Amino acid sequence: MAEQFESPQETPESDATNPAPRSRARFVMPRTAAKAPATRAPHSVTRAQTRAARRAAGKPHPMRSFLTVAAVAGLVATVAVPAALTATGSAPAEAAVTTVQQVAADNAQSLVVASEASPAALERGSYTATTPEEIQAKKDEDAAKAAAAARIAAASASSSSSYTGVIADAIAPAGSVVRPLPFFNNFGTPYAGHKGTDYMVDRGTPIYAIADGIVVASDENGPGWGVYVKIAHNIGGQSVTSLYAHMLYGSRRVTVGQTVSAGQLIGQVSDTGRASGTHLHLEIYVNGSWVNAESFLQANVG
């Protein structure tokens, strides 16, 4: 009896060696449930099967399909849009080209017209100045000469009378002081800045040296004086200079350095230079200072 009761207690050890189906089921199930849930195996197998099926069927991944479609669409847009813009903008481009051609043609026509003009050539030899100031000075000088010539022409037309008397080579003894003219009609009107006395008289009237002296200037074209003569004297111990201006062209009888005597013929009256009407312009300087010519003559003529 003791052996019968001990035998069932040792049954588990015999079961480990020869397990029965029900006892093995009880032993395996708890181990499986602890190590891996029953739900994961079917899910993992399903995903792998799905991928394999897609590869077998040749279907791409949805994300790859989307990226491929987007790239193709961008390429189509890049090619199609500029072509469409070029097609729609062809008319304005042609218009722009036409406009440029028309402008070029118009300019060419204007150039042809301009080329027909023949501007007067500038005579470089007529002006030696190079700066604007020198050019302006030259123009002023030319204008002054032209104005003087006009005044001379007008005065010559109004002064028709000419000297008809005898022209003597000398009218006074040496060492004396004489008047430069045998007579005169009237004095010219004085004005500011005018250094001299104007004796209005007929054209060709003889002009004489007022005293003994030496000719220091004799010119056919003086600065404003026209034909003129200048003589240096020693009168009463004073240095005196007499100037005779607006003389007749070709009438000078003395040259620079020549000694003359009082009353000696030196030229004839006219209106050369800057003059209005025929007259003698007489200037007198005593010791280098200008004095009134008529006052000097009245004080010194004997």
Side-chain angles (χ1 to χ4, degrees):
M1 293 295 290
E3 292 178 359
Q4 290 179 355
F5 285 103
E6 289 177 1
S7 178
Q9 292 179 355
E10 295 176 356
T11 300
E13 293 179 1
S14 62
D15 290 341
T17 305
N18 295 311
R22 184 167 51 180
S23 298
R24 188 176 182 179
R26 290 179 183 178
F27 177 76
V28 171
M29 290 302 292
R31 290 178 63 184
T32 303
K35 289 184 179 181
T39 57
R40 289 188 179 180
H43 177 75
S44 176
V45 172
T46 302
R47 179 178 296 179
Q49 292 176 352
T50 303
R51 292 177 180 175
R54 287 176 179 173
R55 290 192 186 97
K59 294 182 179 181
H61 194 278
M63 182 58 66
R64 293 179 182 176
S65 301
F66 174 76
L67 294 176
T68 302
V69 172
V72 173
L75 180 60
V76 172
T78 303
V79 175
V81 171
L85 292 177
T86 303
T88 56
S90 59
E94 293 177 358
V97 172
T98 302
T99 302
V100 172
Q101 292 175 351
Q102 289 177 353
V103 171
D106 294 339
N107 291 339
Q109 292 176 0
S110 63
L111 290 175
V112 170
V113 173
S115 64
E116 295 175 356
S118 57
L122 177 63
E123 296 181 1
R124 182 64 181 87
S126 61
Y127 287 92
T128 58
T130 56
T131 65
E133 293 76 10
E134 292 175 345
I135 293 174
Q136 185 61 42
K138 179 64 177 176
K139 290 181 178 180
D140 294 343
E141 181 181 353
D142 293 343
K145 289 182 179 180
R151 288 195 298 269
I152 291 172
S156 299
S158 62
S159 301
S160 57
S161 60
S162 298
Y163 179 74
T164 57
V166 177
I167 299 178
D169 292 335
I171 59 173
S176 62
V177 177
V178 300
R179 287 187 170 274
L181 297 172
F183 68 92
F184 64 94
N185 300 328
N186 54 274
F187 294 104
T189 303
Y191 55 89
H194 182 249
K195 293 183 177 181
T197 302
D198 291 340
Y199 297 88
M200 311 303 295
V201 68
D202 299 338
R203 183 187 306 275
T205 301
I207 302 173
Y208 300 96
I210 64 170
D212 300 342
I214 298 175
V215 178
V216 294
S218 180
D219 199 335
E220 284 286 309
N221 188 21
W225 294 326
V227 182
Y228 78 102
V229 171
K230 184 185 291 186
I231 304 174
H233 314 273
N234 187 333
I235 301 175
Q238 293 181 317
S239 175
V240 179
T241 301
S242 59
L243 184 146
Y244 315 80
H246 308 311
M247 297 169 63
L248 185 66
Y249 284 119
S251 68
R252 289 178 301 124
R253 303 291 183 91
V254 294
T255 59
V256 175
Q258 180 179 344
T259 300
V260 297
S261 301
Q264 181 178 335
L265 180 66
I266 59 174
Q268 292 173 264
V269 173
S270 185
D271 53 6
T272 59
R274 298 179 184 177
S276 178
T278 58
H279 67 281
L280 168 64
H281 173 89
L282 178 64
E283 294 183 16
I284 301 292
Y285 294 84
V286 177
N287 296 326
S289 298
W290 173 82
V291 298
N292 183 275
E294 179 60 23
S295 298
F296 177 83
L297 293 178
Q298 289 180 5
N300 291 278
V301 173

